[in-house]
Amino acid sequence: MRYVALLRGINVNPATAVAMADLRALLERLGYGNVRTHLRSGNALFTADGDAEPIAAAIERGIREELGLSVAVIVRTAEQLRGVVEHNPLEVRDPARFAVVFLARPPDREGLASIDPAAYAPEEMRIGERELYVYFPDGLRRPKLPPLMEKYSTGPATMRNWNTVTRLLSLAEGL
């Protein structure tokens, strides 16, 4: 099965630095095949047997034990990532300002739906299965939505812009 691992918060400062060569080597030591990385922001693609949750836990444990970092890892199959792209409920007007927040667990739909859209306008948000689709027309310099979304978080999450999401899908389907 083809997988994509999304690591949260690596390479954002010197304390969270992870060389992609080290990440690839770690994934290979864990027994995963066809390992490759995309960008320096914690995107890995590989093949493996098993379910996504135990794979994510194994990667988290490996990073903690071998690299000394506590990093949340969210894993999706290539097929699940295809569904994320195909079921996008918003128009992608600017792929660099459009993002998907990948959630480890299903979102608190009721809590998120209770947020008044006027509180975060002109930003937009739609709820997916285990993702949030968000549009930041003014960019990510001072977004309003992330703090509101975190209030209703049910677990770890990590965000990728649309360009990265679609490129990861292309790479995963080509493994």
Side-chain angles (χ1 to χ4, degrees), residues 5 26-27 30 32 46 55-63 73 75:
L26 181 141
L27 294 173
L30 290 172
Y32 307 137
F46 55 91
I55 290 171
I59 296 170
E60 287 178 1
R61 188 172 42 259
I63 291 171
V73 178
V75 174

Side-chain angles (χ1 to χ4, degrees), residues 1-3 24 27-28 31-37 44-48 171-172 174-175:
M1 176 115 23
R2 295 167 293 173
Y3 286 98
R24 286 189 300 273
L27 294 173
E28 288 169 353
Y32 307 137
N34 300 313
V35 176
R36 65 184 296 182
T37 54
L45 303 107
F46 55 91
T47 57
L171 292 170
L175 281 181

